[in-house]
Amino acid sequence: MKKSLLFTLILLAFIGFAKAQIQTPEQFLGYKPGDRFTPHHRMLDYFEHVAAQNPNVKLIQYGETNEKRPLIIAILSSAENMANLEQIRTDNLKRAGLMEGTPSTAIPINWMSFNVHGNESVGMEAAISAFHTLADPSNSKSQEWLKNQVIIMDPAINPDGRDRYAMWYNQKMNTTLQPDLQSMEHNEPWPGGRANHYLFDLNRDWAWQVQVESQQRLKIYQQWMPQLHLDFHEQGINNPFYMAPAAEPLHEQLTVWQHEFQDIFGKNTAKYFDEMGRFYFTKERFDLLYPSYGDTYPMYNGAIGMTIEQGGGGQAGRGGFNAVGDTVTLSYRIEGHYTAAMSAAEVTSQNADKLLEEYAKFYKENASNPKGKYKSFVIKGDSNPAQVAKLLELLDKNGIRYGTAGNKSGLKGYEYQSGKAASFATSNQDIVISAYQPKSVLAQVFFEPNPQLNDSITYDITSWALPYAYNLKAYALESRLDPASSYEKPAFTENVAGKTPVAYIARWNGTRDAAFLASLLNQGIRVKYPEFPFKTEGKSFPAGTLLITKGGNEYVADFDKKVTEAANKFGITLETTQTGYMEEGKDFGSPNIRIIQAPRVALVGGDGTSSLNYGEIWHFFETDLNYPLSNLEMENLGRYDLSKYDVLILPSTRGGSLSKAAQEKVIAWVKAGGKLIAIDGALNFFANQEGFALKTYDTEEEKKEAEKAAEALAKMERLAPYQEGERLAIAGGAAGAIYEVEMDETHPLGYGTEGKFFTLKNNSSKFAYLTNGVNAGKILSNDSYRTGYIGYKIKSKMGESMAIGSERQGRGHMVYFVDNPIFRGFWESGKLVLSNAIFMVGQ
């Protein structure tokens, strides 16, 4: 009894000490929340201050950004839960079947993520205020909530983008509040602070984990697997506040409880907003379909994922006028997110047992009785090995299990490559991903051939099936097919430098091969490729195979060592030949054996270009290829000395245009021997222009017929109800429609593709076959369509069109990609085709 009393007195004394020591954000930072934007490092200082004073707060640095800013989470709970934290964590994994054993605790995990978009800048400010309330021992409400939940707070998912915005704004803002949206502080320069260092949208990268922030965050996320995930955002200044429930389309895999809890949260939050007289909306705009959002990815992992959107965004700054003349201040926006965070903590506490029960049910039921149409997915062993390796890396990152299919015959399934049902057999070289596993839902979503779209108005792409993204031979089965055995990745035997062969030979299959080539070129090693297939010493090789010959590399010190070490670094198995005399094909001294001159590459960015597409290419060069890249501003293109470059890449444009001087200089540079790679919207700079083969229509008659049909359709649409306006608008666009593209393997753009590529169409562009050029990638007919939304106005017109092409201009080359080949960095097979354009075309 005395011992218990003593413990109570010590605890009370500690609480009193903590009350006295924890400063408010205003006391610590020196200004009221909302008076200015807090730099990321000062937020870290405050979190460390609170954690130092309160043992019920634990900070974990889980990584760092490209610009070396720390990435942290803060864990908060009661003293009892914090003492038992590791048990709570592992029990949660046991509950999901991701770890063996029976849970002994019953504490749900509530994860809150802020500032995934850097210029949705209220996020981190609201996180600071919410963190103080939850960590404050004197706040009886928050301390009561923490008795039956663990809260994990990530205060800034995207510190690089956030500081880009905050530092810019703090430099430009007026001391006296200036809400005039024309004022400089309300208009960010390109590229804005939304994206990360490489200008990727991190809220589209949860599943694909292309970016270092996502890779590190998802690694620790997988260690906790929360029951609830809130993703805090901002929207336009004229929209008040959005909160769950989400809008249609809602993926069919979502459970009744996931819908129900969103409604519970929405009503609870609405109660507080109603008391404050704040406006809000639900069930509009923000859907739950695309799997790589901060709400859908947790949903497909059994949690309740919710997007929260405060009105304001980067334009609002410290305060700006909305359309009705009200000043939307930073402090007002903080209040909105703060209230939603507190509401989430409250409803989690109130529904703790139900959250855990339904979470366990989600995993148990889906692992034993998968809900989707397709129960198993087979990757054929004769698929491109480089792309298979990349796919398995992604599955490993997401905790999706797979195994060897074994020898089975008489199977039927959907064949991705043909888009039709087909019979097939499996072998020990094939890989099977069964939906009968803990990550059942995520596996089904990743591989579903045709996501069910119950509303065509959606916020993002509508198809993403991985066999298309990786260009793999694969099948989806409606029946159960379990792995026959665990899959062992092919053992890599390191190449050993020995007697110098006439040539080292490396097959050209994927990004790792392009990275190997880049490494050799960076070291000054001469590399060649054959324009025709060949056979030597009994082994056959296709066109585009890399040849690293002894001849021409005599000047390279430690030649064999450098080649083999580079190959080992990238997992490339080198083959060799001791003769240049071919059994079939061209001898190594033939003019048809091309030298790959190391290209000097420049990428155009700045106002008028798509920062996202620019970032994808920039990231590809720096992290996939590790190859030098110059970055040029489009507005200065007419003033640059372009003779310094061999390759110029124009990413997709956003309403930008080339000045007359720039266009003339670029065309003259191409004709003098340069190579210009134009992607997506950038094709419009050259389409239907005199002197270029790129045309929208084959003939004038075809153009007139199309214009006549469009005019007739427009007349009909005039009579449509006003409310149908948005649907009519999207009927002329595409949102992730996948088309089969026939690739010409005899042309450098087709090397390594095995004659097929799948393009992801997010635009309405359609171009006629080039008449004076090479149609290296063709959409042969309307039957080439596989899946994803494309409007009825353009769907029937996509057949017989050029998807990837090249034409000569003087001594140079134009390369056209109608669609973005490396969309969001996860469209892996497109990286090979883009590498072909960079390194192979025009050599």
Side-chain angles (χ1 to χ4, degrees):
M1 200 64 179
K2 288 181 180 178
K3 197 170 183 180
S4 175
L5 179 60
L6 180 62
F7 174 77
T8 302
L9 291 172
I10 292 172
L11 182 62
L12 288 172
F14 166 76
I15 290 173
F17 175 75
K19 285 180 183 178
Q21 294 298 314
I22 294 180
Q23 296 182 32
T24 65
E26 181 179 355
Q27 290 169 333
F28 186 89
L29 297 171
Y31 51 86
K32 292 180 181 178
D35 279 359
R36 64 185 296 109
F37 288 108
T38 306
H40 181 259
H41 72 276
R42 290 296 287 151
M43 177 277 292
L44 292 176
D45 291 343
Y46 183 66
F47 273 53
E48 288 169 356
H49 156 72
V50 173
Q53 307 302 326
N54 188 342
N56 296 336
V57 175
K58 181 179 181 180
L59 300 185
I60 296 176
Q61 181 177 341
Y62 65 83
E64 65 178 20
T65 68
N66 290 289
E67 297 175 15
K68 304 303 178 184
R69 292 182 176 88
L71 294 164
I72 69 160
I73 55 171
I75 303 175
L76 307 96
S77 197
S78 66
E80 181 181 355
N81 291 338
M82 294 301 289
N84 209 20
L85 194 60
E86 181 61 13
Q87 187 65 49
I88 293 170
R89 184 188 74 81
T90 55
D91 278 357
N92 205 44
L93 299 180
K94 293 171 186 174
R95 202 170 276 115
L98 297 168
M99 198 179 220
E100 295 296 324
T102 303
S104 60
T105 61
I107 305 295
I109 298 164
N110 176 0
W111 191 300
M112 302 181 187
S113 295
F114 298 84
N115 253 137
V116 67
H117 293 146
N119 60 2
E120 295 177 5
S121 42
V122 71
M124 195 180 82
E125 306 297 335
I128 293 170
S129 294
F131 177 65
H132 171 257
T133 296
L134 293 169
D136 182 4
S138 67
N139 190 305
S140 58
K141 277 189 177 180
S142 66
Q143 299 315 296
E144 187 65 28
W145 296 335
L146 291 173
K147 288 180 181 178
N148 65 344
Q149 70 182 296
V150 170
I151 291 180
I152 299 177
M153 182 180 289
D154 190 331
I157 284 179
N158 179 13
D160 291 350
R162 210 282 177 172
D163 265 6
R164 187 187 313 132
Y165 172 82
M167 298 306 179
W168 168 82
Y169 186 86
N170 285 343
Q171 291 171 0
K172 300 295 182 183
M173 74 175 187
N174 290 311
T175 303
T176 303
L177 182 67
Q178 177 49 270
D180 176 10
L181 295 186
Q182 295 186 134
S183 187
M184 190 181 296
E185 67 193 79
H186 298 291
N187 296 279
E188 280 182 274
W190 188 96
R194 177 183 175 90
N196 75 340
H197 172 81
Y198 281 112
L199 307 186
F200 269 66
D201 185 334
L202 294 180
N203 194 42
R204 271 74 175 169
D205 195 44
W206 279 76
W208 320 132
Q209 299 173 48
V210 173
Q211 294 298 291
V212 66
E213 294 93 342
S214 306
Q215 293 163 12
Q216 295 169 120
R217 182 177 71 258
L218 269 298
K219 187 175 180 180
I220 196 167
Y221 185 95
Q222 303 279 4
Q223 294 169 12
W224 289 90
M225 296 295 289
Q227 279 72 43
L228 184 67
H229 182 261
L230 274 78
D231 192 19
F232 289 86
H233 289 260
E234 284 191 89
Q235 56 189 333
I237 195 170
N238 294 319
N239 298 319
F241 193 93
Y242 163 82
M243 57 192 171
E248 295 280 356
L250 304 170
H251 200 282
E252 61 183 353
Q253 289 281 0
L254 303 182
T255 67
V256 172
W257 167 246
Q258 287 175 316
H259 291 294
E260 185 181 327
F261 188 87
Q262 285 208 341
D263 200 47
I264 291 170
F265 165 79
K267 288 178 179 177
N268 194 67
T269 309
K271 174 182 67 178
Y272 294 113
F273 273 50
D274 289 341
E275 289 173 1
M276 294 185 285
R278 294 182 65 118
F279 294 111
Y280 53 87
F281 65 95
T282 65
K283 301 182 285 290
E284 293 183 65
R285 292 190 61 194
F286 303 100
D287 59 67
L288 293 170
L289 185 71
Y290 174 65
S292 207
Y293 284 142
D295 52 9
T296 50
Y297 185 85
M299 282 284 209
Y300 300 145
N301 279 280
I304 314 295
M306 295 188 288
T307 291
I308 310 297
E309 296 267 358
Q310 169 63 54
Q315 187 181 32
R318 279 197 307 143
F321 289 135
N322 63 14
V324 296
D326 294 335
T327 303
V328 181
T329 64
L330 180 56
S331 57
Y332 178 82
R333 289 147 59 203
I334 291 172
E335 180 186 65
H337 271 348
Y338 172 87
T339 302
M342 294 304 107
S343 174
E346 182 179 38
V347 295
T348 300
S349 178
Q350 293 168 349
N351 295 273
D353 292 341
K354 182 72 169 175
L355 279 163
L356 292 174
E357 176 190 333
E358 291 290 339
Y359 180 83
K361 181 181 175 183
F362 176 95
Y363 278 95
K364 183 178 180 181
E365 290 188 353
N366 282 298
S368 60
N369 185 24
K371 186 177 180 180
K373 177 180 180 180
Y374 297 102
K375 315 297 183 185
S376 314
F377 308 93
V378 172
I379 308 298
K380 296 298 291 178
D382 59 346
S383 293
N384 185 321
Q387 305 294 26
V388 170
K390 279 289 188 180
L391 172 68
L392 298 185
E393 282 180 22
L394 180 66
L395 298 185
D396 290 342
K397 286 177 184 177
N398 285 283
I400 294 174
R401 299 171 184 175
Y402 51 88
T404 301
N407 294 307
K408 297 182 178 68
S409 59
L411 300 173
K412 292 183 179 179
Y414 174 88
E415 184 181 32
Y416 289 87
Q417 295 243 329
S418 68
K420 299 175 182 177
S423 299
F424 69 103
T426 60
S427 71
N428 289 325
Q429 281 69 52
D430 298 340
I431 297 168
V432 63
I433 301 100
S434 171
Y436 294 85
Q437 63 163 301
K439 289 296 188 82
S440 173
V441 171
L442 192 63
Q444 292 173 75
V445 171
F446 274 10
F447 286 90
E448 57 188 337
N450 192 16
Q452 187 65 39
L453 193 63
N454 51 21
D455 193 326
S456 57
I457 298 178
T458 180
Y459 203 61
D460 212 277
I461 64 170
T462 54
S463 57
W464 47 81
L466 296 183
Y468 295 127
Y470 289 78
N471 198 4
L472 301 173
K473 299 171 185 175
Y475 295 86
L477 290 77
E478 295 182 34
S479 57
R480 179 170 184 167
L481 181 64
D482 291 327
S485 60
S486 58
Y487 179 80
E488 293 187 14
K489 295 178 182 178
F492 175 66
T493 303
E494 289 202 344
N495 303 282
V496 179
K499 180 185 175 183
T500 305
V502 167
Y504 290 101
I505 304 173
R507 296 179 186 271
W508 183 254
N509 292 317
T511 310
R512 68 184 183 191
D513 306 300
F516 171 56
L517 170 61
S519 176
L520 295 177
L521 296 178
N522 286 339
Q523 297 179 77
I525 296 172
R526 181 174 292 176
V527 185
K528 304 178 181 181
Y529 72 84
E531 292 186 294
F532 295 91
F534 67 96
K535 183 176 182 180
T536 181
E537 298 181 6
K539 292 179 286 189
S540 296
F541 300 90
T545 298
L546 300 182
L547 304 174
I548 308 103
T549 57
K550 177 167 60 175
N553 283 304
E554 301 92 342
Y555 59 90
V556 179
D558 300 320
F559 168 68
D560 298 282
K561 184 175 182 238
K562 287 178 178 176
V563 172
T564 54
E565 284 183 351
N568 291 338
K569 178 181 177 181
F570 297 105
I572 306 294
T573 299
L574 294 173
E575 298 174 79
T576 62
T577 181
Q578 294 297 340
T579 178
Y581 189 93
M582 298 298 101
E583 297 167 27
E584 296 176 10
K586 308 294 183 179
D587 297 331
F588 286 174
S590 167
N592 296 111
I593 305 297
R594 298 289 187 175
I595 296 174
I596 302 174
Q597 305 287 355
R600 299 167 299 169
V601 186
L603 171 64
V604 179
D607 277 340
T609 64
S610 164
S611 61
L612 295 175
N613 190 208
Y614 170 91
E616 290 157 357
I617 300 165
W618 181 25
H619 179 264
F620 175 60
F621 269 84
E622 295 224 315
T623 63
D624 288 281
L625 298 180
N626 190 25
Y627 193 79
L629 180 72
S630 294
N631 302 65
L632 308 181
E633 293 275 357
M634 188 165 78
E635 66 180 5
N636 295 321
L637 208 52
R639 298 197 290 269
Y640 289 125
D641 177 6
L642 297 183
S643 68
K644 292 182 176 181
Y645 315 110
D646 305 301
V647 178
L648 193 63
I649 303 176
L650 275 177
S652 187
T653 54
R654 286 292 179 90
S657 61
L658 288 175
S659 67
K660 184 178 180 182
Q663 195 157 12
E664 289 175 352
K665 177 170 274 195
V666 168
I667 293 171
W669 168 82
V670 173
K671 289 182 176 179
K675 178 168 58 182
L676 188 142
I677 301 171
I679 298 173
D680 196 351
L683 271 67
N684 294 322
F685 290 148
F686 312 102
N688 304 309
Q689 299 296 314
E690 186 178 349
F692 291 90
L694 187 65
K695 307 294 182 186
T696 306
Y697 301 102
D698 239 345
T699 63
E700 276 299 313
E701 290 73 18
E702 184 184 339
K703 181 181 178 181
K704 288 177 182 177
E705 285 180 14
E707 290 174 346
K708 186 176 180 181
E711 186 179 344
L713 189 61
K715 285 182 179 178
M716 290 174 58
E717 289 177 354
R718 290 176 199 167
L719 304 177
Y722 172 75
Q723 293 286 349
E724 289 298 305
E726 186 176 5
R727 294 189 186 280
L728 290 172
I730 65 170
I738 296 174
Y739 276 82
E740 178 187 335
V741 175
E742 181 187 85
M743 297 298 294
D744 181 354
E745 291 183 272
T746 69
H747 189 270
L749 283 167
Y751 291 164
T753 63
E754 298 182 356
K756 191 169 289 190
F757 173 66
F758 292 92
T759 193
L760 184 69
K761 180 162 283 295
N762 288 299
N763 59 44
S764 59
S765 299
K766 183 245 182 181
F767 292 96
Y769 292 145
L770 300 175
T771 52
N772 294 309
V774 178
N775 296 288
K778 304 179 286 291
I779 297 176
L780 292 179
S781 71
N782 290 330
D783 291 338
S784 300
Y785 168 80
R786 288 291 174 271
T787 183
Y789 177 77
I790 183 165
Y792 67 86
K793 294 180 184 179
I794 59 173
K795 186 176 182 180
S796 62
K797 303 173 184 176
M798 282 298 153
E800 299 184 14
S801 65
M802 184 270 294
I804 303 168
S806 176
E807 68 166 302
R808 293 293 299 265
Q809 284 285 332
R811 291 188 288 113
H813 292 79
M814 302 285 296
V815 179
Y816 303 121
F817 286 93
V818 177
D819 305 305
N820 178 1
I822 59 170
F823 183 73
R824 291 179 184 162
F826 89 92
W827 208 257
E828 190 65 32
S829 58
K831 293 178 182 178
L832 178 68
V833 186
L834 182 59
S835 297
N836 286 338
I838 295 164
F839 294 111
M840 303 292 197
V841 172
Q843 295 287 358

